Each structure stands twice: as C-alpha cells, then as structure tokens.
Amino acid sequence: MHLPSAAARRSLKCRARVARLTPSSRHFASSSAVPLMGSSDGVAGDGCSGHDIGCQAWPAGLEHWSDSVRVFRMLIAFRRRGHLAARLDPLRGSAHRPLSPLEPISWRIGGRHGYVVDRVDINRLLRDYPRTLDLDVFGLSHYGEDAELPQGVSIPAFWGAPPDGGEKWTFRSFVEHLRKCYAGKLTLEHQHLDSDWERSWLEERFEGRFALDSGTSQAMSKALNPEIRKAALLQLVRADQLEQLLGDKFPSAKRFGVRGLEALLPCLWTMLEKSAELGVERLQLGMAHRGRLNVLVNFLGKKVSEICSEFSEQVDFLGDMKYHLGTRGRVFIGGRDVQLTLAPNPSHLEAVNPVVLGMTRAKLDQYGDSDMRSTMAVLIHGDAAFTGQGVIAECMQLADLPEYSTGGTVHIVLNNNIGFTTDPRAARSSYHCTNVAKVNDAPIIHVNADDVDAVLFAGILAAEYRAAFRKDVVIDLVGYRRQGHSELDDDALTQPLTRRITQQHPPVLEIYSEKLINEKVVSREDVEANVDQVSAEFEAEHQYATTSIPSMADWQPQVMDWQKRPVNITGLPEPRLVQIGQACARMPEGFAVHDTVKRIFEGRLRQLSQGRIDWALAEQLAIGSLLLRFSPEHGDLTTGLIQDDIMSDGAHEDHAPEVDCYVVHPPCPVRLSGQDVERGTFNQRHAIIHNQLTAVPHNVFSDMGLGPQSKATVCNSSLSELAILGFEYGYSLEESLALTIWEAQFGDFANCAQHIIDNFIISGESKWGTKSCLVLLLPHGYEGQGPEHSSGRVERFLQLVDDDADDLWPDGGQQGSLASWRDPLECPDKGGGRGASCGEARQALRRALDAKTPGTIDRAMRSIELLQETYDYRHNISVVNITTPANLFHALRRQVHRTFAKPLVVMSAKYLLHHRPCRSPLAHMGRGTRFRRVIEEGGRGDNMPSGRKNSNGGPCERLIFCSGKVFYELHHARAARKLEGQIALARLEQIAPFPSMEIALCASRHPNAEIMWVQEEPKNMGAWSYVAPRIATSLRELCGDTRRVTYVGRPPASSPATPLFKNHKREVRTILDAALKLE
C-alpha cells in the first residue's frame, strides 16, 4: 500500500482548493443535487485515514490529478454513507424502500427539511446498478464504466485483486468492491470515530474481507471455515426447533420468540469463541424478553425441561415470568473454560443494562484485572428501546469513566423494525436506530440477519475490536418479527404489508441450509439428520418435564458462598478505631492541603482524643475498619457472636452468657459512589483531597499503614441516578463481601432511579433469588431548603417493605417465591428460615421486663436482638433514619457482618452533619457494641445528656416516638421548657423491618403515658402511615396494651416542603408546641 507523505497530503489539499475554480470542478458542483452529501470536504481530510487511496507522484501537466481527487471522494462517500444504500432489511432490501407505492414511509437525511435517502450520492450512483453506473454523480461521466482508474490512484494491497478477475482496476470493479463492502448486506458506520488508528483498523478488516489473495487473516473465507459454518447451521436448527416445540406444546402462552432473528445464536457463539481466544473468561449478558428463552437454552445451557416446567406451571416458587429469569452456565470454547451469566430483567426493557455493567466491573475488580480482558459485557437490545430508553445514553457515558469502565461492551440490537405496534418512522428521528451510539465514539456494524455468514463475520469483528481497543461496539442485527409482539398478537392489524410478506418469506434456516448445500459444505441429508436429532432431544426433554418434580436448586440464579461472610458484632476495640482515624488524617509527605481540609482533619484528631465522634468521622471509621484484616488471634478482640445458647434456660441469670470470640475478618473492599461523594455534597466527607499545587488527588483510605488492606473506591459519578444506581446494584450482586454504597446528592433525587429501586433492589430477591448488600444513602431532613431538597421519600421505601402491619410475627416463612428457599446456614436461628413466632417474642419481652440485674438485662436484650435478626432476615429491605454517628458506624459495618444480605436504605444526615450535639462517644463504637434499633433515654446508644437519669427512672406522662433530625429539635425544646420529667423521648432508628419487641418494651416502661408519634414530614409522607398500625399491633399482641398513637407533624400536602424559610420555622414551632404541650 502506498501512503502519501504529509507534504503530499498538504499539496493535495492545496490542489483541491484550486480545483474548485476549474471548469470540471464547477461542472461537478452543479451536477451534485445534494451539496451536503457531494461537497469536497472529504478531500480536505474529512473521513481520511491511514488506509485511504493514495495519490502517486503526479505526471507532468497534472492532467489526472483532478479526476483522482474525484475517485478519492467516491471512496470517502462509500465509507461515510454506504450504509444508507446497504441492503440490510430482509423484507425491503433497503430500509427506505416502501413495500407498496402508497406505503407512508419517508426517511430524510438532515431532518424534516433535509433530503430523502434516495438522493444520497451513493444511492444515485447505484440507482440502475448493475446495469449501469451514474458516474456523473461524482463528476466522472467522461469516463466509461470499464475504463481504468486515473493514473494517480493506487489501491491498498489488502483489497487484493479486482472482483471481476481482471488485472486492472476499472471504475466498475472499483465501485463493485466498495458496494460489496459498504452497500451490501453487511456495512459499517465508523467515520464518526475520532481515532485515525481505529478507522484504519476497521477499514483494513472490512475492505479486505473479500480478498482471496491479499494474504491477510481477515479475509472472510479464512475467518469462516466450514466447521464454523456447520456449527452456525446447527445453532439455527436448535433455535428453530425450540420455537417449534414451545409453539406446539404451549400455543396459548406468550413466548416472545426469536423468529426472524434466529441468527442471534450463531452470532453469540462465534463472538464468544473469538473472545475466549482473545482472553475472555467470563461473559456477563443482559437482554430483554425478545428471544430470551432461546438464549437461555441454546447459549447458556438451561434445560428445555426446566422451560417446559415453567410453562406448564409445575413449579410454585417462581417469582417472575419465565422470559425474565436469569441463569449461569459454563462452556469450554476457544481453548478455555468460560463462565456465562444472564442477569434477570423485568419488563422495563433496558433497565438491566447498568446492572450488567456493574456486575462486569465487580468481576474485573474481584480478579484484579486492570487490563479488563477477562470479563466482557454483552447487552442485547431491541431497536425501539435502543432509541427510546434514556438509560442507553446514560450507560454509554460510563464506558470510559475510570471507576465505571468495563473495557468495552458489545451491544447487539435485535432490530425487527418495529416496537410493539409502532413503525420505526414514528419511533425515532434517525435513519438507523443505533445513532445514539455515535455519541460514545462506538463503531456500528449493520448486518442483514438473513445473511448468516455476514452475521458471523460481524460477531468476530466486534470481538476483535473490543479486545483491541477496549471500547464499546454495536452490532445492528436487522431482521423482522415473524409473529406479533407476542405470539398471541395479530400484527396484521397495524402492519398489514409486513405481515403478508413475512408469511411468504423463507426462514433463515432454510436460506442458510440451501446456501451451504449449494456450496457443498453440507448435504441435504446432514441438515435433515440435524433437525431430527434436535427435535428428538427437545421432545424427550418435554416428556421428562411432564414426569419429573422440579428442584428449586435448578432455578437458583446466583451462587455465592455466604458462609465466608465475616459474621461479627460490629463494635471494635477503641485503640484500633483511634489508629484508623489517625491513619486517615495523615497526609503524604509534601502534600499541599487546603486550609479548610487541614482544619477539618485537625478537628477529627481532636475528636479521637476527646472521644466524641461526629457523623463524617464515624463513616470514615466504618469504612477504614472494613478495609483491614482483624484476627482474634491477636488478642485485641474478646467478645463476639450472639449464639443460640443465650436463649437456653440453663444459662445463669446473674451474668451475661459466654459467647464465642470474633471470627477472622478478611479485608473487605468498599465502594462509595454518587454525585460529589468525594468531597461530600455538604462539605463533610473529604475522602478524596487534592494537592493545592498539583491538583493530584489523594484517597485518605489508601495505604493506611495498619497491615494488609483492601481497596476503597470513592468516586464521583456522572450526573445520572438511574445508570449509577443500577451499576452499583449490579456490583453488589457479584461482590458479596464488599460494602457497596450509592449516595444521592439529595434524597429525593433517587426518584430518577425509581424503577431500579422497585424492580431490582426491592423485589430482586423475591423474584429471582438475587441477594444484595447495597446501601443507599439518601440525605433527608427538613431545613427550609424547599420541595426537592428536603425529603428522601422514606414513605415510598416503607410502602415497599414486605411485612404485615397486622401480623408482625407470622408462623412460618414466605411462600410462593424464590425468597422462600432458605439455606439454614444463612439464617441466624439455624432454623431454615422458620423465624420466630409471636409466642417467642412475647416470652422474650417478658424476660426483659422481669430482668433486674445487669447480667439478666444483658441476656434478655440479646435474646430480643437475636429474634429481631430472624425477623429482619425474613423481609426484603432495611430502612433506617439514624440520629447518632455510632449507629451509622454500626449500620454500615452490619451490612458486611450479617449472616444474610439485604439492601439498606439510610435516610442520612444533612443538618446533623455539622450539628455539634450530634456526636457519639467513641465507646459506643467499642468492643461488644452493636447497632441499636431503638434508643431510649439513658439507655444503650443514647448520646444526649438528659434530665431523665435512665430508661427505668420512672414512668412519664407522655412517651414520644420519633425518628431522625426532629429528635434533636424535640430534645432542645423540651429542655428549654423543663419538661424532662413529664415527657420521654424514644428514637426509632430502624423503621423497617419494624422492631416491635423493643417498641413494646419501651412502652411497657411507661404504662400510663400518652403515646405520640412526631415527625417533620407531612402526614401523608414520612413514616407515620407505616409505624402507626405497627406500634398498635406491637402493644396489642405482645403486651395486651390497647393505647392509641397520636400523630404530630405537618398536615397532608402534595409538595414535601415549603420553599420559604420563614414558613419552615413557623411549621417547626407548630410541631414542637403540639408535641410538648401538656393538658
């Protein structure tokens, strides 16, 4: 290949500018009907790359150079716009071709006032091809089609010989080669890529794939050997036969079959084989329901009998539709053992995308693969969803972010040219459904799904590109939908012409079989034998399903060794906590720290020395402690696990029972992400600080110098809630020993990710058996900052908790879902998920009320703690509104140190971050301490001085239950009014699952008191609707107490908060007056 020098290129540009003044150039400009498409910009380097046609040394007189430039422009036109002339649609040929003269289809380039696709230069050039070429489009009409190219044109060596078999390149052979490359059934959009290297790499493989004599390994004939094509044929047979079986056996069931796009299966297998050869060991797959059953069976290896059992409803434990379920599998391919994972997905088509990306990143981090070769994400989309769902763009923006990149994702668009009943022209503004990928600088490979060889080549090319550049790549697999949206829909109602043609169109299995038979790759007998063998296999599986009893283990989508979780009490020795705090405040030598940060860190050191810890430091201690390894062998840990024997009648009543020591705590990775989390939205965290001279960042958790430690990732995210929360949820699924935290900038911003919350975090375990320890930090509190900066919408999460306000201690576990399958090793009561009964809860409460000595009190409270753990285990999430830094410390550590995994929703602090009274003694995080679900005045976990000496100091007239920041306002106002003796305050730290025994115990200590619930949210928001019936049930069922609960708070409202600070202060005064006024 001859490449002109830089000087020659500059000369070429200069000559091109002169050429615009020549008669021939004016002729070309006037002959071009589309100046936008036919301008000479390509001559000036637009779309050029290292493999452009070269311009050889010009002969004397330069008589050929102007025509050479026009040939060069033709090449650029094919590379840039050949996809607009490609025959991608199996039914239409080209997507802009109408099925009848009157069909209302109109695609324009350049918007409503642009040009119809037929007027694009490549389409005009090929209008009457192969009969004739309209060379006048490029100003070359003075040449004949069989004339040789101008003398100044050199052809790249990887093109090989002319396609007509001649020795010289003529205009016809030149156009024919480019037509086959860019305007056939396989085409490429790559000119939007910024990198010359990437464009050249793609062009060499794309334009050299037909060369038989080029010597390159990229030729399609060498890439697609007979064995690969035979395997592809078998995959088509299996795909077709599975659709046939399910259609015959379950004709009235929705299946969302893959017919019309069966080539997806050969594409996946070929891409996987090439990826495995290039180092991929794990493939994470996400897709919607179209074709999912076929992918489950014929790619991930799920048994057909399991699918049939799901259709016949022989199983009672499924939590979701069969075409939403995920699975895992293994296959030996490409010389290595590859783990395959298909993530479960709800009907929100593209919602799973960020989840899969998070799962992929977790695997990469888990195996220390910084080169990002070993784990690959593949996302399968629908054409309407790819353009219509905003999560696509959000996810693509994560591709090159340092803490979110996965080394390139392969996107496969199942393009059946329809969205339910919506035609493409009504579903998108762009000609192709894949234009959104251009924003991410991703190449787009368009391929006709009826050309299986082209599909195989597309899969190989995508795998190679991803491996070479660690970037996203898109395969637009253009097919059709042989039946309606589901098999029960009649698509003739809305697409009559398409329906008529699809019924007459031969299936891809028939097309490809005939092709391979004609090329002598297989015989007709081979094809028939394959069909018979696969049909018999699937029929046998169906028969087995009718006689076998399904096992729950067959549906378990996730395999994690939960026994490895370091189950400990969350308190730690105080000297160790001081070491961690000091290590995090230590700056690297020569680091120029900002004065504000220096002052904050000096303040934290003072807190450690004084033993009073604020919110940010408590969070820092929790994260830092999880990163380090602790071992009871070192002698600094002497108390530990709650054991079942503390409830045995044989234990001595005068002292706390003996318990086992702490178990070894391996270093656990921590990941904290969200908008502005490095500094903290409220200037509180400063986990990442910046050198004021060099702007070099420093992670305060890196290399604490306290022994082996894991990695703490604290990273600002893109301005996205949906994609980031989905990503972190996926990360938590694969990294079970990590503490994964997502923090919203303000709590109510979580509503931008509501369907991730509803369909994954809240219900994932019930539907799919997926377990997550994800923590959501949602800043919450009413401080006069207006409707969108006050509420974390705690009411929404409480509404989604799966406990029963009228039956808090049901006998037996949940039924009818994957959540009912419990491993006895997971459950604290070792009872396989039986949980505790109301009688056991009542008995534990009675022991606590009767306890008199410190030992018996401690033993009774631990019994309640154990029973509450079994209760928490049986429900889907935990929701807390914490008021003390120590409880935040324990809540975060508890996520890792529990025997089970549940998402945790924290209504985290804003005002309390800098509220001086909101500090905890360091001893509240020390040895033997743990999370307190309810904090009574003078009881364990209480961080505030009170006139009430202790929780047993005597009954009061009014008992106020509250949660969150409002406690401090009540406490200060009560002290100012000197009402400590008459009004008691109790903090509900964990709202859900509801701590009924501790609430009942607190109320029983004040038997004659009026019970009140006080909140700062409006009555139709906040926790009132959740806690009111549960407090009543707790008192009635556990104590026989019929007292009612009175509400005090803001009145019902449509908007969470007022934007006027003066109104906010008036509302606070009203709440405090109502709560503290005694009759």
Side-chain angles (χ1 to χ4, degrees):
M1 178 184 66
H2 175 78
L3 285 177
S5 64
R9 284 182 177 272
R10 287 194 295 270
S11 177
L12 175 62
K13 295 176 184 178
C14 180
R15 291 164 182 157
R17 285 193 291 269
V18 175
R20 293 169 187 161
L21 304 178
T22 64
S24 59
S25 178
R26 287 196 299 272
H27 165 73
F28 170 75
S30 62
S31 67
S32 174
V34 191
L36 178 64
M37 302 298 177
S39 70
S40 57
D41 292 345
V43 180
D46 185 17
C48 302
S49 66
H51 289 314
D52 293 331
I53 291 178
C55 299
Q56 297 176 342
W58 306 110
L62 305 177
E63 61 268 22
H64 294 293
W65 74 266
S66 181
D67 291 338
S68 299
V69 168
R70 290 184 171 86
V71 173
F72 176 75
R73 291 182 55 255
M74 188 187 300
L75 167 70
I76 297 302
F78 269 101
R79 287 176 175 174
R80 294 192 63 183
R81 297 181 290 279
H83 60 91
L84 297 175
R87 295 178 292 117
L88 298 174
D89 192 327
L91 304 181
R92 300 174 182 271
S94 296
H96 60 278
R97 303 293 185 192
L99 295 177
S100 78
L102 298 179
E103 186 186 15
I105 180 172
S106 175
W107 287 104
R108 291 180 175 270
I109 304 301
R112 179 182 298 273
H113 302 291
Y115 300 92
V116 294
V117 178
D118 276 336
R119 295 180 63 192
V120 172
D121 48 8
I122 298 300
N123 279 318
R124 290 186 291 120
L125 172 70
L126 301 174
R127 181 181 294 120
D128 296 320
Y129 187 85
R131 184 175 59 85
T132 184
L133 294 171
D134 188 359
L135 294 176
D136 186 54
V137 173
F138 291 95
L140 293 167
S141 58
H142 51 287
Y143 284 92
E145 296 176 12
D146 296 323
E148 292 184 25
L149 294 178
Q151 185 176 346
V153 176
S154 66
I155 300 297
F158 58 80
W159 279 26
D164 58 6
E167 297 182 357
K168 302 289 186 179
W169 283 87
T170 64
F171 279 95
R172 177 169 283 274
S173 61
F174 179 78
V175 171
E176 171 59 16
H177 180 78
L178 291 174
R179 186 199 65 80
K180 288 171 64 178
C181 291
Y182 293 106
K185 294 186 178 181
L186 175 65
T187 189
L188 176 69
E189 283 189 87
H190 69 298
Q191 289 296 303
H192 57 279
L193 302 183
D194 293 331
S195 169
D196 284 349
W197 177 28
E198 292 178 37
R199 294 200 303 271
S200 300
W201 188 94
L202 288 164
E203 287 160 7
E204 180 173 345
R205 282 150 179 78
F206 222 75
E207 296 172 12
R209 71 183 190 272
F210 295 112
L212 301 179
D213 58 346
S214 65
T216 69
S217 61
Q218 308 305 326
M220 186 182 291
S221 59
K222 295 184 178 181
L224 304 181
N225 59 58
E227 294 306 315
I228 290 179
R229 301 176 80 192
K230 290 178 183 178
L233 178 63
L234 179 59
Q235 290 146 15
L236 290 177
V237 170
R238 295 183 65 84
D240 180 77
Q241 287 301 303
L242 180 64
E243 297 292 339
Q244 185 70 40
L245 174 81
L246 298 180
D248 291 344
K249 304 300 182 182
F250 311 102
S252 61
K254 293 181 179 180
R255 304 182 298 279
F256 301 101
V258 77
R259 281 184 168 168
L261 287 163
E262 295 96 327
L264 169 66
L265 276 304
C267 180
L268 285 173
W269 278 110
T270 307
M271 181 177 60
L272 177 63
E273 182 173 16
K274 176 56 68 174
S275 298
E277 293 172 0
L278 296 170
V280 170
E281 299 175 356
R282 290 165 293 278
L283 186 142
Q284 305 280 359
L285 186 66
M287 67 181 300
H289 45 268
R290 174 70 58 203
R292 191 182 188 94
L293 296 177
N294 227 303
V295 171
L296 281 166
V297 171
N298 290 318
F299 187 64
L300 285 105
K302 186 170 182 175
K303 297 177 182 178
V304 175
S305 60
E306 296 172 12
I307 299 288
C308 293
S309 295
E310 293 165 3
F311 272 102
S312 58
E313 298 189 356
Q314 292 176 271
V315 293
D316 296 326
F317 43 72
L318 285 184
D320 204 351
M321 308 303 293
K322 45 263 180 191
Y323 39 77
H324 290 166
L325 302 179
T327 193
R328 293 179 186 262
R330 302 194 76 89
V331 62
F332 187 83
I333 191 171
R336 67 180 71 242
D337 190 39
V338 181
Q339 181 189 63
L340 307 176
T341 302
L342 175 62
N345 189 41
S347 280
H348 294 66
L349 301 174
E350 303 294 335
V352 77
N353 294 351
V355 177
V356 171
L357 295 180
M359 295 169 68
T360 305
R361 179 59 187 245
K363 283 298 184 186
L364 291 168
D365 289 349
Q366 198 175 69
Y367 288 91
D369 183 8
S370 58
D371 203 27
M372 300 186 180
R373 289 185 178 274
S374 63
T375 306
M376 180 174 79
V378 176
L379 297 176
I380 302 176
H381 315 269
D383 55 310
F386 200 72
T387 56
Q389 298 284 301
V391 69
I392 298 292
E394 291 188 31
C395 287
M396 285 194 158
Q397 287 300 326
L398 304 182
D400 199 35
L401 301 186
E403 299 300 339
Y404 298 90
S405 175
T406 59
T409 299
V410 177
H411 302 266
I412 302 177
V413 181
L414 297 185
N415 186 352
N416 49 31
N417 283 301
I418 195 169
F420 204 155
T421 65
T422 303
D423 286 320
R425 195 63 189 91
R428 62 178 187 263
S429 298
S430 58
Y431 182 71
H432 293 298
C433 65
T434 51
N435 277 24
V436 66
K438 293 182 179 180
V439 176
N440 199 39
D441 208 31
I444 303 165
I445 306 167
H446 303 278
V447 59
N448 187 318
D450 272 3
D451 189 340
V452 178
D453 285 342
V455 172
L456 298 178
F457 186 82
I460 293 172
L461 183 63
E464 291 179 335
Y465 178 87
R466 186 261 173 193
F469 300 102
R470 309 293 193 281
K471 287 182 58 180
D472 286 14
V473 58
V474 178
I475 298 176
D476 180 19
L477 188 61
V478 185
Y480 56 94
R481 196 179 65 194
R482 189 167 288 276
Q483 294 173 289
H485 177 66
S486 73
E487 289 73 10
L488 307 183
D489 285 330
D490 183 3
D491 53 337
L493 295 173
T494 52
Q495 283 79 31
L497 300 181
T498 303
R499 171 68 174 181
R500 190 179 312 137
I501 293 178
T502 55
Q503 298 310 303
Q504 301 168 358
H505 189 76
V508 66
L509 174 60
E510 179 181 330
I511 295 172
Y512 198 54
S513 298
E514 290 298 324
K515 180 178 182 179
L516 296 191
I517 291 170
N518 294 336
E519 295 179 9
K520 310 297 184 185
V521 177
V522 297
S523 65
R524 194 170 301 277
E525 291 74 18
D526 293 335
V527 177
E528 293 173 354
N530 281 340
V531 172
D532 292 342
Q533 179 183 349
V534 173
S535 177
E537 174 192 339
F538 288 173
E539 183 62 37
E541 288 276 345
H542 175 258
Q543 290 300 320
Y544 176 77
T546 61
T547 59
S548 64
I549 300 176
S551 167
M552 173 64 82
D554 295 333
W555 275 266
Q556 187 185 17
Q558 192 172 12
V559 180
M560 287 187 181
D561 191 354
W562 295 98
Q563 298 178 58
K564 292 182 179 179
R565 291 173 65 81
V567 183
N568 284 316
I569 291 177
T570 50
L572 291 173
E574 294 175 41
R576 189 63 164 174
L577 294 174
V578 172
Q579 289 178 339
I580 294 169
Q582 292 173 342
C584 292
R586 189 165 47 244
M587 295 296 104
E589 186 176 352
F591 193 91
V593 65
H594 193 283
D595 289 342
T596 299
V597 176
K598 182 179 180 181
R599 185 171 62 254
I600 291 172
F601 279 31
E602 289 172 349
R604 290 179 183 176
L605 291 175
R606 285 195 299 272
Q607 292 177 41
L608 291 169
S609 63
Q610 296 169 3
R612 296 287 294 180
I613 309 302
D614 70 5
W615 199 278
L617 181 54
E619 177 190 89
Q620 187 180 85
L621 294 176
I623 294 174
S625 63
L626 289 172
L627 297 173
L628 299 171
R629 181 183 188 273
F630 290 96
S631 173
E633 298 173 359
H634 295 161
D636 56 354
L637 304 170
T638 57
T639 62
L641 290 172
I642 305 173
Q643 296 294 315
D644 288 322
D645 62 0
I646 69 175
M647 298 183 64
S648 64
D649 293 331
H652 200 281
E653 294 186 354
D654 293 331
H655 60 79
E658 294 288 330
V659 296
D660 291 348
C661 295
Y662 278 86
V663 299
V664 172
H665 167 186
C668 295
V670 177
R671 180 180 173 90
L672 168 59
S673 82
Q675 296 161 22
D676 311 299
V677 300
E678 295 179 3
R679 190 206 72 170
T681 300
F682 309 100
N683 197 34
Q684 85 282 6
R685 181 171 290 120
H686 298 284
I688 305 294
I689 59 177
H690 298 268
N691 190 311
Q692 295 300 298
L693 300 179
T694 65
V696 173
H698 167 65
N699 186 331
V700 300
F701 299 109
S702 64
D703 192 19
M704 291 188 287
L706 299 176
Q709 71 173 74
S710 191
K711 178 184 178 182
T713 300
V714 182
C715 56
N716 292 339
S717 72
S718 64
L719 200 64
S720 162
E721 287 80 26
L722 173 58
I724 300 300
L725 181 55
F727 186 99
E728 302 305 338
Y729 172 78
Y731 195 99
S732 71
L733 295 181
E734 291 290 349
E735 186 56 279
S736 63
L737 292 183
L739 176 65
T740 307
I741 307 172
W742 175 74
E743 182 178 63
Q745 192 176 66
F746 287 88
D748 48 6
F749 290 4
N751 57 21
C752 297
Q754 196 64 46
H755 72 264
I756 294 293
I757 295 170
D758 292 344
N759 296 294
F760 290 93
I761 296 172
I762 298 296
S763 58
E765 183 180 5
S766 175
K767 293 191 295 186
W768 310 313
T770 52
K771 297 177 174 63
S772 169
C773 294
L774 180 65
V775 177
L776 278 66
L777 296 182
L778 307 180
H780 173 87
Y782 281 60
E783 293 125 17
Q785 295 190 42
E788 277 74 54
H789 296 85
S790 298
S791 175
R793 296 289 189 175
V794 63
E795 66 277 358
R796 294 182 178 175
F797 294 95
L798 295 175
Q799 187 182 37
L800 297 170
V801 178
D802 60 356
D803 63 352
D804 187 347
D806 300 319
D807 191 8
L808 294 175
W809 295 94
D811 295 325
Q814 302 172 1
Q815 301 294 328
S817 72
L818 284 171
S820 65
W821 184 43
R822 305 300 193 190
D823 183 345
L825 290 174
E826 291 183 46
C827 190
D829 67 354
K830 306 296 187 293
R834 177 184 61 82
S837 67
C838 185
E840 291 172 306
R842 197 178 294 120
Q843 186 180 17
L845 178 63
R846 177 50 52 194
R847 282 199 297 265
L849 289 171
D850 293 340
K852 303 300 181 183
T853 65
T856 56
I857 292 173
D858 185 65
R859 179 170 175 265
M861 293 308 298
R862 293 191 182 189
S863 299
I864 289 176
E865 169 75 16
L866 176 62
L867 289 173
Q868 188 65 45
E869 278 290 285
T870 69
Y871 184 74
D872 290 2
Y873 169 78
R874 293 168 61 180
H875 299 291
N876 57 340
I877 60 170
S878 295
V879 181
V880 299
N881 193 2
I882 294 171
T883 61
T884 75
N887 243 5
L888 175 70
F889 170 86
H890 291 297
L892 295 179
R893 285 181 50 80
R894 187 178 69 161
Q895 282 301 96
V896 173
H897 289 297
R898 290 181 119 173
T899 56
F900 54 89
K902 301 289 178 180
L904 172 65
V905 180
V906 181
M907 296 293 120
S908 56
K910 295 187 298 175
Y911 171 76
L912 297 185
L913 291 171
H914 307 291
H915 186 48
R916 189 168 293 276
C918 182
R919 295 192 177 184
S920 291
L922 186 62
H924 286 187
M925 308 174 198
R927 178 185 300 142
T929 58
R930 57 178 64 86
F931 179 76
R932 304 297 174 187
R933 294 175 175 84
V934 176
I935 298 178
E936 298 182 62
E937 290 186 281
R940 299 182 181 186
D942 186 14
N943 64 327
M944 295 293 289
S946 171
R948 303 187 59 82
K949 298 300 182 182
N950 57 64
S951 58
N952 294 318
C956 63
E957 298 179 35
R958 177 175 295 167
L959 172 61
I960 295 178
F961 287 108
C962 60
S963 188
K965 177 181 72 71
V966 72
F967 162 77
Y968 289 92
E969 295 168 329
L970 288 167
H971 185 278
H972 301 329
R974 185 188 63 175
R977 304 181 191 196
K978 302 186 184 305
L979 295 173
E980 291 92 338
Q982 293 117 307
I983 297 176
L985 303 177
R987 290 176 259 181
L988 184 58
E989 300 282 287
Q990 177 176 301
I991 307 175
F994 193 71
S996 57
M997 287 180 292
E998 295 180 62
I999 290 293
L1001 179 63
C1002 180
S1004 297
R1005 289 175 176 148
H1006 306 279
N1008 299 316
E1010 174 192 6
I1011 298 178
M1012 180 178 288
W1013 172 261
V1014 178
Q1015 68 178 35
E1016 55 185 347
E1017 302 88 355
K1019 190 174 185 179
N1020 58 323
M1021 304 177 195
W1024 165 247
S1025 297
Y1026 179 86
V1027 301
R1030 286 164 178 80
I1031 293 176
T1033 300
S1034 301
L1035 299 183
R1036 183 181 66 250
E1037 297 297 326
L1038 299 181
C1039 309
D1041 191 335
T1042 58
R1043 281 180 289 177
R1044 298 182 61 183
V1045 184
T1046 305
Y1047 169 82
V1048 172
R1050 287 176 168 85
S1054 59
S1055 176
T1058 175
L1060 302 177
F1061 188 68
K1062 63 178 182 179
N1063 289 346
H1064 164 75
K1065 291 193 295 182
R1066 184 176 64 250
E1067 291 170 353
V1068 171
R1069 285 195 299 269
T1070 301
I1071 292 173
L1072 296 177
D1073 289 343
L1076 301 177
K1077 182 179 180 181
L1078 296 173
E1079 296 296 335

